[in-house]
Amino acid sequence: MRCFIGIDLGSTTTKAVLMDEDLGVLGRGITNSRSNYDTATAVAKQEAVVDTRLTLFRRGLADDAGIPDVDDFMDRVAQYFRLEQFLEQLADLHETCSRFVEGGRFQNREKEAMETLEIIFGRIGDEAPALYAPGAARKSDFFRDLAGSRFMQIGGDVAKLVGLPFDLLLNVYDKSIIEVENRPPSGDLTGKFGRALDRVLGEMPDLDADTKKMHATLEKALAQELDETYVVGTGYGRVTLPFPKEHIRSEILCHGLGAHMMYSGTRTVLDIGGQDTKAIQVDPAGIVENFQMNDRCAAGCGRYLGYIADEMNMGLHELGPLAMKATKSVRINSTCTVFAGAELRDRLALGEKREDILAGLHRAIILRAMSIISRSGGIRDQFTWTGGVANNPAAARELEKLVRENYGDVTINIDPASIYTGALGAATFAQRAVINGEGAAS
Amino acid sequence: MTDTTSAEETVKEPSMITQKHMIAANYDRLTSAPESGTKVVSTYVPGNLNELIMCFDMVSNLPEINAINNAMRKKSGGYITEAEKQGHSEDVCTYVKADIGLMSKGAIAPNGKPIPPPDLLLLSYTGCFTFMKWFELLRDEFGCETVMLHIPYEGDGIVTEHMRDYVVKQLKDEVIPALERVSGVKFDIDRLREYLRKSAAAEDDLVWVLQSAKNKPSPIDAFFGGVFYIGPAFTAFRGTDEAIEYYVQLRAEVEDRLARGAGPITPEGEMGPEKYRLVVEGTPNWTSFREFWKMFYDEGAVVVASTYTKVGGMYDFGFRHDPDRPLESLADYCLGCYTNRNLVQRVEILENYLEEYEADGLLINSIKSCNSFSAGQLLMMREVETRTGKPAAFIETDLVDPRYFSASNVRNRMESYFQMIEQKRRGGGSATVAA
Amino acid sequence: MATDSTSQVIERCEQLFEDIDFAAARAWKEAEPGRKVIGYMPVYVPREIIHAGGMLALGVLGGGENIEVIHGDAYYQSYICRIPRSTIELAITKRLDFVDGMLFPSICDVIRNLSGMWKMMFPDVYTRYFDVPQNFRDDIGGTYYINELNELKTGLEEVSGRKIEDDALRRSIALYNENRRLVNDVYALRAKQPWKAPASEVYLVIRAGMVLDVEEHSQLIRDYLAAAEAEDRPPRDNCRILIQGSFCEQPPLNLIKSIELAGCYIVDDDYILGTRWLLEDVPVDGDPIANLAHAFLHQSTDCAAKYEPDGTRKGHFLVETVRRRGAEGVIFASPSFCDPALLDRPMLGRALSQENIPYISFKYAENSGQMQPIREQAGTFADSIKLWSAA
Amino acid sequence: MTVTIGIDVGSGAIKAALFDIEGDKIECLGKRVERIRQSDPLQLAEEICDDLLGDGGMERGDVAYIATTGEAETLGFATGHFYSMTTHARGAIHLDPEARSVLDVGALHGRAIKIDERGKVLDYRMTSQCASGSGQFLENIARYLGITQEDIGPLSEEADNPEKVSGICAVLAETDVINMVSRQVSASNILKGIHLSMASRLVKLLRATKVKEGAVLMTGGLALDSGLVAAMREAMEEQKIVVTVESHPDSIYAGAFGAAIWGAFRHEKLARLNQLAAVS
Ligand SMILES: Nc1ncnc2c1ncn2[C@@H]1O[C@H](COP(=O)(O)OP(=O)(O)O)[C@@H](O)[C@H]1O
Ligand SMILES: Nc1ncnc2c1ncn2[C@@H]1O[C@H](COP(=O)(O)OP(=O)(O)O)[C@@H](O)[C@H]1O
Ligand code: SF4
Ligand code: SF4
Ligand code: SF4
């Protein structure tokens, strides 16, 4: 089938959306951005393909009446697929780390170091299934973060026990993760899907399903040809994407159109990404009328939250929920990312509670965004929030509050897939380029 | 308004070469003042009293022009750093710092010779607070005589009789006596009348040239090209025969382009087809002048009217220097410069330009340095947008500080802006212009 | 009658200071039908004329750190100080909706342009750019200024709907003379015994005058003076410094406190300079407008917003104040992007150096949150004065 | 004999030093440095202080003056507090009597301090809020590149074609670095590039303090980064400032040393004052 792909190479994450020729979204994929843009693009694209396969598999299953709760079933398949993926990368990481240990840094303690790695990775591996159990909360979706935080924790403890300097191990890890991350993903989907399906089926012995038929359905979904008809790239790194110029659109246009595709009533779009904040006004057809961006300064964007999370030794996903527990909001004036840690320590030293400070930080981010929105012309009904930070419930709460206070009763759209908006817009441009023949314009 | 002595080959029209010679001659006159015994007066462009200064056989040194010149020759960055090293804040107007830095590095003019210290600082305080501080700083440096001409601001958008009287009285009782004292020349009002008559003649042609942009395609770029066109009329040449001749020559060139249906001349030759007509508010960026201009002409964008080209007088709204009311007309000139207009008037002027010149939109180049121009521009932008229904865009750069010109940032905004105009034209048909 | 303690007076001042809804001024206005309120930006406006018209002169010094600026940034790009943003925010959030007129004194291009913005945004409010002469000859600048004052008077008469009689003006002049004397007393007390009148308290007491009627404010100062004199507070091992450059956008209160905490007694400053703009009493007899004009031309303080016709005097006033107050050093503290203050700084610095008066300088914004660098600098300054002074 | 302790609470690490001071005879009895990481700085400071005393077989009561510096104004058991520039200046003179300038580069801040031969602060400049030139930033980048802190210096010195990072913001600079990696710029060249950018900013600070003579002693943690020291030397040469740039193995302790020494000075001064009071 003909597929249209949008790639959003962001400053912190790279997103891909795969679309069919009727503008239906087949799959979405995301990975953390990294120095190798080609790999980032390839990984995101592959993730979108995985998602697409799941969609196709699900469509296949829908014809099959054997499963009572298809949603639950598919969730499990997806989770176990991720688990398989995680284990595959973990093995790669282990092996890479081992290679670095041989480098001579450990001064004859290589053996101990190897054994330590053995223990660390063994434990991470053992913990992995729990990470992907149904309903489990993860710190992040990216291998780098997941493996990294566990390595820090377990590694620190184990190193202490063994009497090895943890800094050295950490350095080995730092070196290895870069290599692992920048290796193009292994192409073997069939195996991982198969194993995932088997795990699920094994877990649901009561399921009255024909295993063989199920596998056949899966194979069919995997065999379906996906034809990359047209790819459009956007995002912070778009100029470096290995695409010809006519395959590239500005982020502003993509976010505007993407938001329009998600909610056709959208007139004002706010996008808070890793490094920038944009406010975009669009007309009823999703065409950009006006926009404002933060300039020069990365204060109060997604990376800011990243620094805070690092400082607090928490996962990005955990910040929002903790802030929601606040009983008051500490006033934070500066959202300078670089000094985020210092500001935080300052407040902690003054005896403020973590959750209250976090609430203040979230409010500060949103206040900044409100300023940029105001600069672009304010909020018109409907208002759609896009970009990764929209996933953060505390930020969303502050935003809603401030929007209501300042602009009254407007519809506020926050899609769970908000982070894919740019890629969705790009995919839509790709589809239009072929279907409407709009590609030639430049 | 200066020569671009850049290393790159630049396409020049004959009138530009004429102007280049004029400017060079003036710098020569300035740097040879100590030998020739000519007295030097430093003064500003907006509200300058060139005709009056000429009555005393003095030569003027225009610090703003020096700053621009140095920016175009990529020297301002170093001067600014020098001034900051001496304790000047990062936050203040970079014209001032470029000037201070130039002084401390020998005050070398483009002709390679030192600019002599001024004999008089004529502080025409027109529409900018920083002017006052700037000359206080120079006075501190040179210890020379300073005379202040305070031009009241058009806070209510009008020039009242008592404002004019105040200025005329200062001219009579402060400025002219100071000029007489320093130059040793007695004031002759008839001489002033004669210069004013010449000014008015040149001003007529300047207005014709600027208004030629109403044609489609426009034969001139009224911002990037415009800064050259206004040069003689805004600086040390107003009131001279050379200026009259320059404008005659310029007018002939523009007439010729008009007859041929040609667009403006850019540094790379004739511009391609006119795709966008813009009005620009704000001062150009001088450190990346050509790079900035290129972003326009590469996209087929031509500026049909700009406010910057009105800082030395709003001639297109009818003002002329008037030999029959010599001091009064000098006062009116100072009071009426663009920078001395209040924001309400500035919005009206922009609105008028957008309509009269049938422009597609407004672009504001907001200058980090310049509170006088920049404070309030975002409101002006919105106001103009609502009144005209035409899209506007806003970029931030600086005058002469290369650190504050981010080409990629500006380009990003310009690209999106042109796409916006394009989309508007297509009436919402599709949004697929490559970004 | 038992006198209030300083903390009672200060508590009231704090309330007034923190109240960005201006409840006190609103209450004043509602107390009698037909009352009008005229807002003014820093630095100097002749409040006497407003008062003589039966109106309240309300000092609007931005929103400080208590306001969350949401719309204000939509009006200003990054490189401009914060006071106009927060002032716009105050207005857009209707916190100034009870103000019948706004005056924008000639202090810099930002405030000047704000006057135009006000005209566009609030066409129903009497808005005036209050220009002052930069020529100080009676026959030139004086004539011009008298005209300005008369225009202002006429404008205010239209707002209030009643004529401003000379006698009323004379009465107001007397009241403001008294107020200025009291303000000067507070400054004098602090210069003499800075531990008795901490800088943050002095600031709050003077600041209260922005929102109170002049007579009420004078009483408040009297109360504070009495209480401060009576209270026993121990002196600390601090050095004595003077603050310069804070005449427009005001620093956060914490900054003032931090400077003192770090070991510096502030013995003079240019916060809220408008209240101390005129250095001497304005004569009560004779033509009041001419008297006000004369005072402005010949008896007003030095400030970066004013041209100094005589170049030899730059910094003189500052040096003299340092001497008079017995200060050991100067801290230049100005708002970021404040052209007038920052452009003046090198000249003033030179004047201090010539007299061997040490100084340091830093910038702030009205909502600066991080005091650590401030403490660090003020602390080092205090350290060096303390460790290295002759004693 | 006057035993004093100096405690420097920084944003990245806590430094402490124990001194025995007798007139001009200044002897360091012990010193400690510890990364703060996740712990409470003031509590950590207390532990370090006690450890240090324990090593020397002492208790708090044996110490004449406990002097703090850095972010420790509120440390309860201290005798007195001196501000960082005061202490770094004194510490620098102790480490290098020829020093007439101090360049203190720590985890978040950079400060150039002009001093006289007695360690008096004559002038100073600090980096403004927007500064990617800090230890924290380098640390992040090093981790990203998979490089240990000790390797930063040597690697940077191997660079053959360094590429400067633009911008003043650490966040944006980080993206710059990622871009460089994607263009296959070597780690050496990236690190050197960062060092050069930092150095040019730091030289600007130094110039602003108008240093003209003597040596510049680098203090703070980054004085241990040989790459930055080398870049500083290059930048000074490029800008034609004829002042030598020095570092000292104990540079990271400059603040703590200075605090301890000032503590003794103050202790004596106070004792004198008390004597005077007793006499009169
Ligand atoms: N689940 C989540 N919870 C909270 N924040 C998130 C989540 N996912 C992403 N983010 C935030 O979104 C940011 C990335 O947003 P994105 O729109 O992808 O930016 P960019 O396109 O610049 O990479 C991250 O820096 C992170 O702060
Ligand atoms: N050996 C080393 N090489 C390079 N950098 C170092 C070294 N040791 C410490 N640092 C850096 O010094 C910084 C701490 O310096 P310090 O002066 O203690 O800062 P602060 O006083 O702000 O805590 C850390 O950010 C670390 O990156
Ligand atoms: S350092 Fe902070 S304030 Fe400066 S640009 Fe970066 S995020 Fe913004
Ligand atoms: S502030 Fe603006 S008008 Fe004034 S000197 Fe600077 S650039 Fe010129
Ligand atoms: S703070 Fe300075 S620049 Fe800002 S408005 Fe006041 S005087 Fe003007």
Side-chain angles (χ1 to χ4, degrees), chain A residues 296-299 336-338, chain D residues 129-131 168-171:
Chain A
R296 194 184 65 106
C297 177
C336 168
T337 310
V338 181
Chain D
Q129 164 140 327
C130 280
I168 36 176
C169 172
V171 180

Side-chain angles (χ1 to χ4, degrees), chain B residues 371, chain C residues 41-43 80-84 107-111 247-249 335-341:
Chain B
N371 287 345
Chain C
M41 297 288 296
V43 175
I80 292 177
C81 56
R82 192 167 184 272
I83 180 169
I107 168 166
C108 78
D109 300 331
V110 175
I111 300 280
F247 49 83
C248 182
E249 181 176 319
S336 295
F337 305 110
C338 177
D339 268 32

Side-chain angles (χ1 to χ4, degrees), chain D residues 10-13 15 105-108 135-136 139 149 220-222 224-225 252:
Chain D
S11 42
K15 285 78 56 180
V105 194
L108 284 178
Q136 174 105 59
E139 245 171 89
Q149 202 157 64
L222 268 85
L224 304 176
D225 180 341
I252 194 167

Side-chain angles (χ1 to χ4, degrees), chain B residues 139-140, chain C residues 279 298 300-302 306 308-321 347-348 351 354:
Chain B
R139 180 181 63 189
D140 215 44
Chain C
L279 299 173
H298 306 294
S300 52
T301 186
D302 262 13
K306 245 175 74 185
E308 269 205 19
D310 181 357
T312 59
R313 280 190 48 85
K314 196 82 195 178
H316 233 75
F317 189 83
L318 179 61
V319 170
E320 209 176 280
T321 315
M347 292 183 276
L348 297 176
Q354 276 164 12

Side-chain angles (χ1 to χ4, degrees), chain D residues 97-108:
Chain D
E98 299 302 310
R100 291 299 170 270
S101 284
V102 184
L103 190 65
D104 165 26
V105 194
L108 284 178

Side-chain angles (χ1 to χ4, degrees), chain B residues 186-233:
Chain B
K186 187 107 196 68
F187 176 55
D188 171 3
I189 197 152
D190 289 324
R191 214 172 144 187
L192 179 62
R193 286 185 210 275
E194 177 58 15
Y195 292 142
L196 292 176
R197 193 190 54 73
K198 289 183 186 170
S199 295
E203 285 156 7
D204 283 340
D205 279 340
L206 169 65
V207 169
W208 184 90
V209 168
L210 291 176
Q211 292 187 335
S212 71
K214 289 184 184 173
N215 292 288
K216 283 186 182 174
S218 166
I220 62 162
D221 186 289
F223 183 60
F224 296 102
V227 301
F228 297 97
Y229 304 151
I230 58 172

Side-chain angles (χ1 to χ4, degrees), chain A residues 8-15 30-31 33 139-142 235-236 251 255 271-276 278 301-306 315-321 362 386-393 418-420:
Chain A
D8 178 0
L9 185 52
S11 59
T12 49
T13 63
T14 301
K15 285 81 52 180
I30 185 166
T31 183
S33 292
K139 279 187 162 196
S140 161
D141 291 324
F142 305 135
Y236 163 84
E251 307 147 81
H255 274 275
D271 169 48
I272 306 185
Q275 240 179 42
D276 48 27
K278 319 177 192 70
C301 303
R303 276 300 285 141
Y304 174 65
L305 285 174
L316 253 182
H317 292 26
E318 298 167 321
L319 288 181
H362 282 91
T386 72
V389 179
N391 284 327
N392 180 315
S418 66
I419 199 166
Y420 296 100

